[in-house]
Amino acid sequence: MLPVILLNSGFATYSLVASIVVILLFNFDPAFKFYKSNIQHFTRYMKISFVSGMLLATVAFIYPSFSGWVIAIWGLPTFIYGFKLSGQVDNLAKK
């Protein structure tokens, strides 16, 4: 979420740095590897959320008057589906 919010706020350089860090963590961090192997649709959710967020944040960066709407359009479905996945994470943590 951080790269999307940074880009939406107009901090393109910081968003680029955060995007690189997020991509590296997603590919090499042991926690993400654990979730990718144990939670169904986790990888798809993360990729779709990141790519759609960055595309919408780019639109908001170009047209700042729409930034509130753009982040709401991206954030609401991302939050709802992420909330559903968090139940699977909780069940996995209990095991």
Side-chain angles (χ1 to χ4, degrees), residues 26 32-50 77-78 81-86 88-89 92:
F26 184 73
F32 280 112
K33 287 181 180 181
F34 177 75
Y35 290 136
K36 287 189 280 188
S37 65
N38 291 311
I39 297 177
Q40 186 179 15
H41 305 298
F42 180 79
T43 303
R44 186 177 70 174
Y45 165 73
M46 293 298 287
K47 287 179 181 178
I48 290 173
S49 174
F50 181 74
T78 301
Y81 193 69
F83 189 72
K84 290 180 182 179
L85 282 180
S86 70
Q88 293 179 9
V89 171
L92 194 60

Side-chain angles (χ1 to χ4, degrees), residues 3-95:
V4 174
I5 293 171
L6 285 172
L7 184 58
N8 188 48
S9 300
F11 300 108
T13 305
Y14 296 125
S15 176
L16 177 64
V17 171
S19 295
I20 292 168
V21 170
V22 166
I23 290 169
L24 288 173
L25 282 174
F26 184 73
N27 288 318
F28 299 112
D29 186 38
F32 280 112
K33 287 181 180 181
F34 177 75
Y35 290 136
K36 287 189 280 188
S37 65
N38 291 311
I39 297 177
Q40 186 179 15
H41 305 298
F42 180 79
T43 303
R44 186 177 70 174
Y45 165 73
M46 293 298 287
K47 287 179 181 178
I48 290 173
S49 174
F50 181 74
V51 171
S52 64
M54 291 304 286
L55 290 174
L56 289 173
T58 302
V59 169
F61 185 74
I62 295 169
Y63 302 106
S65 60
F66 297 116
S67 66
W69 285 103
V70 167
I71 204 71
I73 289 170
W74 170 77
L76 190 61
T78 301
F79 175 76
I80 291 170
Y81 193 69
F83 189 72
K84 290 180 182 179
L85 282 180
S86 70
Q88 293 179 9
V89 171
D90 287 341
N91 290 337
L92 194 60
K94 289 178 185 176
K95 292 181 180 180

